[in-house]
């Protein structure tokens, strides 16, 4: 049963603590993404990775870090430097355009999300 | 960064009504277009891709107008279960970059 999993569903942390959100996929997708969504707002891209051992900053990377050591996994660390970390965090994956003949973008598939609350 | 604009709504329509959403995009080089659906407090889910010739999936019809740089989604015979936020998504064709998501249009179908 292929899909994307994120854990935990709800996470509570004290201000000043780093926290790592998990994202795993078994869709054999090369590309993975992290977004945050605030109430009533759209998705904002944090980081993305088109291939293992490589990742790029998105629009709001400050205060976050990622790693991509395995194709299946793309964990996101919310550091204490992130000013407003409370949000809904969504991970997604897609087929990658790198090396592909197809010239247009591929649809992304999302995990169920993690709601992070920092107090 | 290229933009995707949507009317945020909410659109409140009675069951059985036909409703249409439009979305405009700024990057004329965009080549891929999608509609996603997001239920309250859930992840976005792909509703349908949008093809140049337009495409239909049951009660849903998507159209692309490249000249005016907009895409549309038409929902016929609205059901209560159609209540959700509909996200317009476009690829930013400046290389191997991710999709660009609109902020969404909220639809409430009322009994």
């Amino acid at each position: 049963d292929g899909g994307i999993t994120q854990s935990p569903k709800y996470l509570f942390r004290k201000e000043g603590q780093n926290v790592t959100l998990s994202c795993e996929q078994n869709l054999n997708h090369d590309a993975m993404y992290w977004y945050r969504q605030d109430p009533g707002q759209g998705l904002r891209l944090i980081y993305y990775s088109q291939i293992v051992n490589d990742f790029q900053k998105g629009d709001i990377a400050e205060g976050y870090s990622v790693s991509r050591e395995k194709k299946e996994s793309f964990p996101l660390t919310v550091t204490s430097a992130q000013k407003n970390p409370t949000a809904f965090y969504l991970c997604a994956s897609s087929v990658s355009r790198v090396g592909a003949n197809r010239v247009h973008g591929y649809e992304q598939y999302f995990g169920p999300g993690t709601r992070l609350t920092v107090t | 960064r290229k933009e995707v604009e949507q009317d945020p709504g909410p659109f409140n329509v009675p069951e059985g009504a036909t409703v249409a959403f439009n979305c405009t995009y700024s990057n004329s080089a965009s080549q891929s277009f999608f509609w996603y659906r997001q239920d309250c407090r859930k992840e976005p889910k792909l509703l349908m891709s949008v093809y140049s010739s337009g495409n239909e999936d049951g009660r849903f019809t998507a159209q692309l107008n490249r000249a005016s740089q907009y895409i549309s989604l038409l929902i016929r015979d609205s059901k209560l279960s159609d209540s959700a936020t509909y996200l317009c998504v476009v690829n930013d064709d400046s290389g191997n970059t991710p999709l660009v998501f609109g902020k969404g249009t909220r639809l409430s179908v009322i009994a």
Side-chain angles (χ1 to χ4, degrees), chain A residues 9-10 33 35 37 40-43 45 48 50 59 88 90 96-99 102-113 115, chain B residues 1 30-34 36 38-46 49 87 91-104:
Chain A
K9 190 171 182 180
Y10 299 96
Y33 313 84
Y35 298 87
Q37 188 174 37
Q41 301 297 313
L43 300 176
L45 181 65
Y48 65 101
Q50 299 279 18
D59 300 315
F88 184 38
L90 288 157
S96 174
R97 292 178 58 194
V98 174
R102 181 172 165 178
V103 297
H104 47 281
Y106 295 93
E107 59 270 23
Q108 294 177 11
Y109 296 91
F110 286 84
R115 290 195 179 275
Chain B
R1 188 156 170 77
S30 295
Q31 297 189 54
S32 295
F33 310 91
F34 309 96
Y36 279 70
Q38 185 174 24
D39 292 290
C40 189
R41 300 179 68 82
K42 298 284 190 180
E43 75 274 24
K45 293 186 177 178
L46 179 66
S49 302
L87 308 177
N91 86 308
D92 181 353
D93 196 26
S94 56
N96 291 312
T97 53
L99 302 177
V100 181
F101 286 77
K103 292 184 178 180

Side-chain angles (χ1 to χ4, degrees), chain B:
Chain B
R1 188 156 170 77
K2 302 300 189 284
E3 297 293 327
V4 174
E5 299 290 338
Q6 294 184 252
D7 182 338
F11 284 53
N12 299 315
V13 302
E15 266 187 297
T18 295
V19 61
F21 310 133
N22 278 345
C23 158
T24 58
Y25 60 94
S26 60
N27 185 359
S28 60
S30 295
Q31 297 189 54
S32 295
F33 310 91
F34 309 96
W35 283 103
Y36 279 70
R37 169 196 171 124
Q38 185 174 24
D39 292 290
C40 189
R41 300 179 68 82
K42 298 284 190 180
E43 75 274 24
K45 293 186 177 178
L46 179 66
L47 180 66
M48 58 198 302
S49 302
V50 186
Y51 303 123
S52 296
S53 55
N55 47 301
E56 187 174 306
D57 183 2
R59 298 182 294 108
F60 298 84
T61 299
Q63 297 279 354
L64 168 64
N65 185 318
R66 286 189 185 274
S68 301
Q69 293 181 212
Y70 78 82
I71 66 175
S72 64
L73 177 68
L74 181 78
I75 306 175
R76 290 181 298 278
D77 188 23
S78 299
K79 312 290 185 193
L80 294 176
S81 57
D82 293 334
S83 297
T85 297
Y86 291 84
L87 308 177
C88 173
V89 184
V90 176
N91 86 308
D92 181 353
D93 196 26
S94 56
N96 291 312
T97 53
L99 302 177
V100 181
F101 286 77
K103 292 184 178 180
T105 296
R106 192 151 63 88
L107 171 67
S108 290
V109 181
I110 305 161

